[in-house]
Amino acid sequence: MGLSKEWKSFYNSQDSSYNHENYMYEILKGLDCSGYVGWSIYNTLETKSNHGNGYVLKAEEMTKTFANMKLESYKDSIQNAKPGNIVSMTNAHVYIVLAVCEDGSLLIAHSSPPGVKISGTYDQNGNSNSQAVVYAKKIMKTYYPDWYSRYPDCTVDFSFTEPSNVSLFHWNSKTLKDVDKLNSMTVNQIIQTLFK
């Protein structure tokens, strides 16, 4: 439950030359993508340590497995993305949707080298300077300035929304309630709610 003190110590010992391949599978040295998503879900659904289901799975299988756990439904269409959805990619990556922008780009939270960050996808026309990328840079620069100064790239490539590369998991309202009504908010309202 919660944050590990070792993660902060490890982060403080690194600089912009950090190479994640030197620390693979060392859980006290940060989180990979499925570790981050699993940790997020565990800390949302469970109330005490060493309790409940294991939520850290192979990244590419997370959406189907969560659907099989009756947490909700598995969908193929990225066009149906909503805040809080989990997206598995066939190339062994997974992320959480924070918001859907007007240009079709997604503001996401994920752990991709060098670690956990907010990023933006390309827009629906394939432009890399999307609304989500602009929002991601602003969030990272404002709320995580040290991280942003070390690792300023907030763009992910087109594969993150390529229909043949992704599957979508949507929570049911019994498992995870949208108490803040994020699904009916604009991107700016979502950012203000999440980062107040």
Side-chain angles (χ1 to χ4, degrees):
M1 298 300 296
L3 296 170
S4 167
K5 292 176 186 172
E6 287 86 357
W7 293 342
K8 177 115 172 104
S9 298
F10 178 72
Y11 170 76
N12 288 333
S13 72
Q14 302 303 311
D15 60 24
S16 59
S17 64
Y18 165 76
N19 182 345
H20 74 283
E21 292 181 357
N22 296 333
Y23 305 99
M24 293 176 77
Y25 309 110
E26 296 182 40
I27 61 171
L28 298 179
K29 309 287 193 227
L31 295 165
D32 64 5
C33 61
S34 59
Y36 168 65
V37 171
W39 173 85
S40 298
I41 293 170
Y42 188 86
N43 279 271
T44 301
L45 299 182
E46 303 301 335
T47 57
K48 52 188 170 184
S49 292
N50 302 315
H51 187 261
N53 296 306
Y55 300 103
V56 179
L57 312 160
K58 288 184 178 180
E60 64 274 19
E61 297 174 3
M62 288 182 103
T63 52
K64 285 184 182 178
T65 303
F66 294 154
N68 289 339
M69 291 167 70
K70 306 295 185 212
L71 297 175
E72 189 36 82
S73 60
Y74 164 78
K75 301 176 180 182
D76 286 324
S77 179
I78 194 70
Q79 285 76 24
N80 295 325
K82 302 266 187 244
N85 286 170
I86 308 297
V87 179
S88 285
M89 301 172 62
T90 57
N91 61 350
H93 192 56
V94 63
Y95 62 87
I96 302 169
V97 176
L98 298 179
V100 180
C101 298
E102 289 179 16
D103 65 358
S105 59
L106 302 178
L107 186 64
I108 67 169
H110 66 134
S111 186
S112 182
V116 177
K117 59 186 172 181
I118 309 247
S119 298
T121 68
Y122 287 17
D123 69 18
Q124 60 195 1
N125 296 318
N127 298 316
S128 61
N129 192 26
S130 67
Q131 292 172 342
V133 170
V134 171
Y135 283 120
K137 287 180 181 179
K138 184 176 180 181
I139 292 167
M140 293 300 293
K141 193 173 191 177
T142 303
Y143 298 100
Y144 310 102
D146 184 56
W147 183 268
Y148 182 78
S149 69
R150 291 188 199 187
Y151 316 109
D153 186 12
C154 294
T155 308
V156 295
D157 66 45
F158 70 93
S159 69
F160 278 66
T161 54
E162 175 63 38
S164 64
N165 189 43
V166 298
S167 60
L168 185 73
F169 172 81
H170 178 78
W171 296 96
N172 72 36
S173 59
K174 291 179 185 174
T175 304
L176 190 63
K177 297 184 184 321
D178 184 12
V179 294
D180 291 315
K181 308 288 188 243
L182 296 177
N183 284 318
S184 60
M185 290 184 183
T186 66
V187 179
N188 282 321
Q189 291 170 327
I190 290 170
I191 292 170
Q192 288 173 4
T193 300
L194 295 178
F195 298 97
K196 56 181 166 184

